[in-house]
Amino acid sequence: MTDAHREAMGRLTESSWEQIVQGIAESRGLKPAEVQAVADRAPLLAQDAIDARLLDRIGYRDEVYTSLRRKVGTDVKLLFADKWTRPEKPVARILRQVKQKKAPGVAVVDGYGAVVMGRSRRSPVQGQMMGSDTVSAAIRAAVKDERVQAIVFRVDSPGGSYVASDTIWREVVCAREAGKPVIVSMGAVAGSGGYFVACPADVIVAEPGTITGSIGVFGGKAVVAGLTDKLGITYGAVAQGRNALMYSTHRSFDANELERLDAFLDHVYNDFTNKVASGRNLTQEDVHAIAKGRVWTGADAAERGLVDTLGGLRDAVRIARERAGLPADAPARPAVTIPPLARLKPPRSTEDPRAAASVSMWSAGWGSYAEIAERLGLSAYGPLMMPGVTLR
């Protein structure tokens, strides 16, 4: 590690540890110093953890259930948390859904995974990806929807494409200019491009432990010529243009190519810090002092003006309702909802939400009918793949 890298990672670890110790101390009725002392003796045996008041008792699964049944009754049902709902009559549920569908509310736009050009999708290697087309279309749909009074943009992303991030950034700016407040709720990570898309929002909400910032840019390439030479593999190429082979993995950058790369990186960094300064009401010099690609916890980012308040998605929705003058029970719903049958029709233009609906690389064989195929239980790989067989 360089000294700067060690300083950044050291503070990131220190801030996270402070939150862990404080959280355990508050929940277990201990002093932070006591938690620290116990942690320094870890890993602990179960009885040691009880003596340190980290645990209440030792027991097996059946003993836990038996103890609970003694307290609440032996005829209780065991349900997963997502299977438990307050009883509601069918008619009342339908009326409530109809009322919420027409009522003014908050639109929720999801931005998960690496930021990429095109549509949101899932890769077997990279997992979920935030597509600029999909997110931009969702924001535009929220702006055009008269029922939408505010937008909550949920961001959980380590960054990615500069152009894709800039595209989404512009839509957030346009939404604000259209009079729709935009509240960003940060998940586990909102770094680099993930922070780029968030910085122009009216309010940024982050968890205390959210990895935040990383306001910076890097570029380069891996040169594998030594490896391929050892394997006896050689390559030849023809090109037109002095820098046509600039990103070839079979040779290093020459001086001219390095100059071009540096110019691009300098441009992106200047643009990034300038937009953060504008969105966060800071000077570019102030942003540069806390940028340089460094990451912060949400708690530290809040102290430096990169985040407005600490909290989760519920807090962001509450703030959005308050900003829009909506009641506390105003509905929060997806910005774009396309009924299954509507997906059967081809999009009319790039403004049609169907043109930017999420796709899955695993479901590419179904094209625009991927979601319908999934709901029908058909093979995700396409129409020429036999559906799975279940033995009962």
Side-chain angles (χ1 to χ4, degrees), residues 3 34 109 166 194 204:
D3 291 341
E34 293 176 309
V109 177
D166 199 27
I204 297 179

Side-chain angles (χ1 to χ4, degrees), residues 111-179:
Y112 293 100
V115 187
V116 295
M117 294 293 292
R119 294 190 285 177
S120 294
R121 53 194 180 270
R122 181 176 293 278
S123 162
V125 177
Q126 295 179 282
Q128 184 67 34
M129 291 186 282
M130 185 198 315
S132 57
D133 286 357
T134 301
V135 175
S136 296
I139 296 174
R140 288 195 299 270
V143 171
K144 293 178 180 178
D145 192 337
E146 295 181 355
R147 301 172 303 163
V148 174
Q149 303 299 304
I151 300 170
V152 169
F153 185 14
R154 177 68 170 177
V155 177
D156 197 335
S157 170
S161 164
Y162 164 63
V163 176
S165 301
D166 199 27
T167 300
I168 298 172
W169 173 89
R170 177 59 184 171
E171 294 299 339
V172 174
V173 171
C174 288
R176 289 191 60 185
E177 292 177 348

Side-chain angles (χ1 to χ4, degrees), residues 12 20 42 45 54 89 170 181 194 213 226 257 261 288 290 342 349 355:
L12 193 68
I20 292 171
L45 297 175
L54 296 181
K89 294 182 179 180
R170 177 59 184 171
E257 291 167 345
L261 178 62
H288 179 64
I290 54 178
S349 70

Side-chain angles (χ1 to χ4, degrees), residues 159-369:
S161 164
Y162 164 63
V163 176
S165 301
D166 199 27
T167 300
I168 298 172
W169 173 89
R170 177 59 184 171
E171 294 299 339
V172 174
V173 171
C174 288
R176 289 191 60 185
E177 292 177 348
K180 300 286 178 84
V182 180
I183 314 301
V184 163
S185 169
M186 293 179 170
V189 182
S192 196
Y195 189 78
F196 195 122
V197 301
C199 68
D202 291 89
V203 180
I204 297 179
V205 183
E207 298 283 1
T210 299
I211 304 301
T212 311
S214 188
I215 303 168
V217 58
F218 71 94
K221 64 179 179 178
V223 177
V224 298
L227 173 62
T228 54
D229 287 346
K230 288 182 179 180
L231 297 175
I233 300 173
T234 59
Y235 293 83
V238 294
Q240 293 294 323
R242 179 174 181 178
N243 300 323
L245 298 178
M246 177 172 172
Y247 288 103
S248 169
T249 59
H250 304 293
R251 64 178 182 80
S252 300
F253 293 114
D254 63 26
N256 187 70
E257 291 167 345
L258 279 175
E259 185 277 327
R260 289 288 79 212
L261 178 62
D262 285 342
F264 171 73
L265 297 179
D266 289 344
H267 166 75
V268 174
Y269 183 73
N270 182 69
D271 185 50
F272 196 169
T273 53
N274 183 58
K275 285 174 176 172
V276 171
S278 175
R280 305 307 302 158
N281 294 318
L282 300 169
T283 66
Q284 197 166 9
E285 290 73 22
D286 290 337
V287 173
H288 179 64
I290 54 178
K292 307 175 185 177
R294 177 168 177 169
V295 294
W296 307 90
T297 61
D300 283 349
E303 294 179 358
R304 289 159 177 79
L306 298 179
V307 169
D308 292 299
T309 186
L310 300 179
L313 181 58
R314 291 178 183 271
D315 298 291
V317 172
R318 173 183 54 78
I319 293 171
R321 287 169 175 152
E322 292 173 353
R323 285 288 181 120
L326 294 170
D329 61 348
R333 50 191 170 231
V336 178
T337 302
I338 305 174
L341 291 179
R343 290 178 179 270
L344 296 174
K345 296 181 180 180
R348 291 170 294 183
S349 70
T350 55
E351 290 296 301
D352 190 326
R354 287 172 293 194
S358 298
V359 297
S360 169
M361 290 185 66
W362 292 111
S363 304
W366 290 105
S368 59
Y369 306 126

Side-chain angles (χ1 to χ4, degrees), residues 377-379 385-392:
L378 300 176
S379 171
M385 183 67 66
M386 187 184 78
V389 177
T390 302
L391 301 178
R392 298 187 184 278

